[in-house]
Amino acid sequence: QGLISSPPPLALLEGMNLFGKRKPATSSAAPGGGASTKDAIGRLREAEEQLTKREEHLMRKADHELAEAKRYTQEKNKRAALTALKRKKLFDMQLEKVTASKMTLEQQRMALEQINISKVTFDAIDAGKRELERLNKEMGVEKVEETMDDLQEQIELQNETADALARPMNAFGIGEDEDELARELEELEQETLDEHILKIDATADQQQQISAPAAPVSQVEKLPAMPSAPTTKVQETDEERELRELEESMAM
């Protein structure tokens, strides 16, 4: 075991780009010469992933050196144990730097994501504001008021037309004098009532005439005594019942 472990492969260092400047990516550049916000966020996320891999690698190396130091301590090899602890210390120092760099990248990425969301929100609000201005300019308060007045006028005209169509027609002049019609109706009802009463009276007189004439007294004496008539009341006819009901109603 040497004092310093073998350096990581050159390909890993180039992939992490920890010691040199990053080469500009021509494919992700925006038309203005600068990278777009989404591209910048993507590159920050890629750098975070590389630092995470580096962080896991250093943690594994530090844990390995700690295990070696414990093993040398059990073997009573104090010098080798101290060397392992020194290597662990170097890995811990690198791990702290990588963790700090990773935190910086995360903060910058979150800031860019937040400003990107704010920009999208602002663009939406600005577009809505411009559209609202265009619509208000197209309509205008005076134009809206004029349209509403015209609409109200048309509604009133439609109501007048409907009322005119619903009005009853009197082409022959019938129904102009309601009082005169009411008097004529009352006279007609009275005539109908009088005719009905006269008809009932005529029917009653006819029934009385149809009844048998009285027999002579001499013959009545010779006739045997007839049984007394039943005390039950003779059932009245329909005409008599109608006459009685009419008289009662008139009396009331």
Side-chain angles (χ1 to χ4, degrees):
Q1 297 287 342
L3 180 61
I4 301 298
S5 61
S6 59
L10 181 60
L12 180 60
L13 293 177
E14 291 180 352
M16 292 186 297
N17 195 16
L18 299 177
F19 301 100
K21 294 183 178 180
R22 183 181 181 88
K23 296 181 180 179
T26 57
S27 60
S28 60
S36 64
T37 305
K38 292 183 178 180
D39 293 338
I41 293 174
R43 285 197 294 270
L44 287 172
R45 187 174 287 109
E46 292 176 359
E48 287 180 32
E49 294 176 356
Q50 293 178 357
L51 289 178
T52 300
K53 294 178 181 180
R54 179 62 177 169
E55 189 177 32
E56 293 174 353
H57 173 73
L58 293 174
M59 291 176 63
R60 287 194 299 269
K61 298 294 289 185
D63 293 339
H64 174 72
E65 295 300 330
L66 179 60
E68 289 292 312
K70 291 180 179 180
R71 184 173 62 85
Y72 290 138
T73 301
Q74 293 176 357
E75 295 176 356
K76 305 298 182 180
N77 190 348
K78 184 176 180 181
R79 182 177 180 180
L82 290 174
T83 302
L85 289 176
K86 289 179 181 180
R87 287 196 296 268
K88 178 183 180 299
K89 185 66 174 179
L90 291 175
F91 290 135
D92 289 339
M93 292 173 61
Q94 293 182 18
L95 182 60
E96 290 178 0
K97 293 179 181 180
V98 171
T99 303
S101 299
K102 181 181 176 182
M103 181 63 65
T104 302
L105 291 176
E106 289 179 353
Q107 292 176 354
Q108 189 175 6
R109 177 179 57 81
M110 293 175 65
L112 283 176
E113 289 176 347
Q114 181 60 40
I115 195 65
N116 188 39
I117 294 175
S118 300
K119 180 64 168 57
V120 172
T121 305
F122 170 76
D123 291 342
I125 294 175
D126 186 60
K129 184 259 300 182
R130 290 196 301 270
E131 182 64 16
L132 187 61
E133 289 177 350
R134 185 187 68 81
L135 292 175
N136 287 330
K137 185 177 180 180
E138 180 180 346
M139 293 186 299
V141 178
E142 296 180 357
K143 188 174 181 180
V144 172
E145 291 180 352
E146 181 180 357
T147 302
M148 295 303 296
D149 292 339
D150 293 341
L151 178 61
Q152 183 64 32
E153 182 179 354
Q154 295 299 322
I155 292 175
E156 293 177 356
L157 181 60
Q158 177 62 28
N159 292 333
E160 293 177 0
T161 303
D163 293 340
L165 292 175
R167 189 179 303 118
M169 296 181 62
N170 190 14
F172 302 100
I174 300 175
E176 294 180 355
D177 192 354
E178 298 292 339
D179 294 338
E180 182 178 355
L181 292 176
R183 286 194 301 272
E184 291 181 3
L185 178 61
E186 183 178 357
E187 293 176 357
L188 181 61
E189 292 177 350
Q190 185 63 39
E191 290 178 1
T192 303
L193 180 61
D194 294 340
E195 292 177 357
H196 185 67
I197 294 174
L198 292 175
K199 182 178 179 181
I200 294 175
D201 292 341
T203 303
D205 294 340
Q206 185 178 1
Q207 290 181 353
Q208 290 178 359
Q209 293 175 3
I210 293 174
S211 60
V217 176
S218 58
Q219 295 180 359
V220 171
E221 293 178 353
K222 296 179 180 180
L223 292 174
M226 298 294 292
S228 60
T231 59
T232 58
K233 185 178 180 181
V234 179
Q235 185 177 4
E236 61 182 355
T237 62
D238 295 339
E239 290 78 3
E240 293 175 349
R241 178 176 55 80
E242 291 178 359
L243 178 60
R244 179 177 53 79
E245 290 177 355
L246 180 61
E247 291 175 351
E248 291 177 356
S249 63
M250 294 177 65
M252 293 176 62

